[in-house]
Amino acid sequence: MLKRFTAVCVHNVRFSAHVVVLCKVSRAEPPYLTVGTDVSAKYRGAFCEAKIKTAKRLVKAKVTFKPSSSTAVVHDEHIRGLLKVGAVVEARNQDGIYQEATINKLTDASLYTVVFDDGDEKTLRRSSLCLKGARHFAESEASPLSDFSLV
């Protein structure tokens, strides 16, 4: 899935520039982000470069139990196995017993505190963060900020 954001990044900048930020959400992304990860974080409607300082992890998985085919949402601390969509794991059911299940969906409801380049901090949910990478800035690199007038 491709999310497209058009915004003006004004964090620690004395001028404004039109920037297009693309956030590619893929199944290859980890179910949660770790401290020290470089991200683009939403700040006043724009995405600006930042680094994760702290993370209060909360990952939920929608699972289908075998053989009953019943479904439930389970917190990641109650799952034994690889946190990945399609993975067969052992998950704790409503009776508190671990049984075989398949992960159908992962939701990162964690809270992340990020630090921007100028030292400012902000606590955000995963939906306000994009992983930085070569493909992340593909469209904005086509029109670098140096091409924009600073006046």
Side-chain angles (χ1 to χ4, degrees):
M1 170 180 264
L2 191 64
K3 293 182 182 177
R4 183 182 181 117
F5 300 94
T6 303
V8 177
C9 186
V10 293
H11 188 72
N12 195 30
V13 179
R14 295 185 189 273
F15 63 91
S16 63
H18 184 72
V19 180
V20 176
V21 178
L22 298 175
C23 294
K24 183 156 174 84
V25 179
S26 71
R27 291 184 181 210
E29 283 189 11
Y32 57 91
L33 303 176
T34 56
V35 172
T37 301
D38 289 321
V39 295
S40 285
K42 196 169 193 176
Y43 178 81
R44 295 185 184 174
F47 281 83
C48 303
E49 293 184 13
K51 186 176 287 238
I52 295 176
K53 179 181 179 183
T54 64
K56 185 175 179 184
R57 188 171 118 186
L58 177 58
V59 178
K60 300 175 188 175
K62 183 174 181 182
V63 299
T64 301
F65 291 104
K66 296 179 182 177
S68 67
S69 295
S70 63
T71 62
V73 175
V74 181
H75 289 252
D76 67 324
E77 68 262 12
H78 301 298
I79 295 176
R80 297 177 185 156
L82 181 65
L83 282 178
K84 184 177 180 180
V85 174
V88 176
V89 297
E90 287 186 343
R92 195 166 89 176
N93 64 19
Q94 296 162 337
D95 299 327
I97 299 167
Y98 282 87
Q99 73 180 80
E100 189 175 328
T102 302
I103 297 177
N104 302 322
K105 180 180 178 182
L106 288 169
T107 303
D108 185 358
S110 305
L111 289 176
Y112 297 98
T113 300
V114 299
V115 180
F116 294 96
D117 294 342
D118 66 353
D120 283 352
E121 295 183 9
K122 188 165 183 172
T123 300
L124 302 165
R125 295 208 175 272
R126 176 66 177 91
S127 59
S128 294
L129 302 173
C130 293
L131 281 176
K132 280 177 40 177
R135 304 189 93 213
H136 175 80
F137 290 105
E139 187 170 328
S140 63
E141 286 175 356
S143 299
L145 291 177
S146 60
D147 289 349
F148 291 100
S149 171
L150 299 180
V151 183

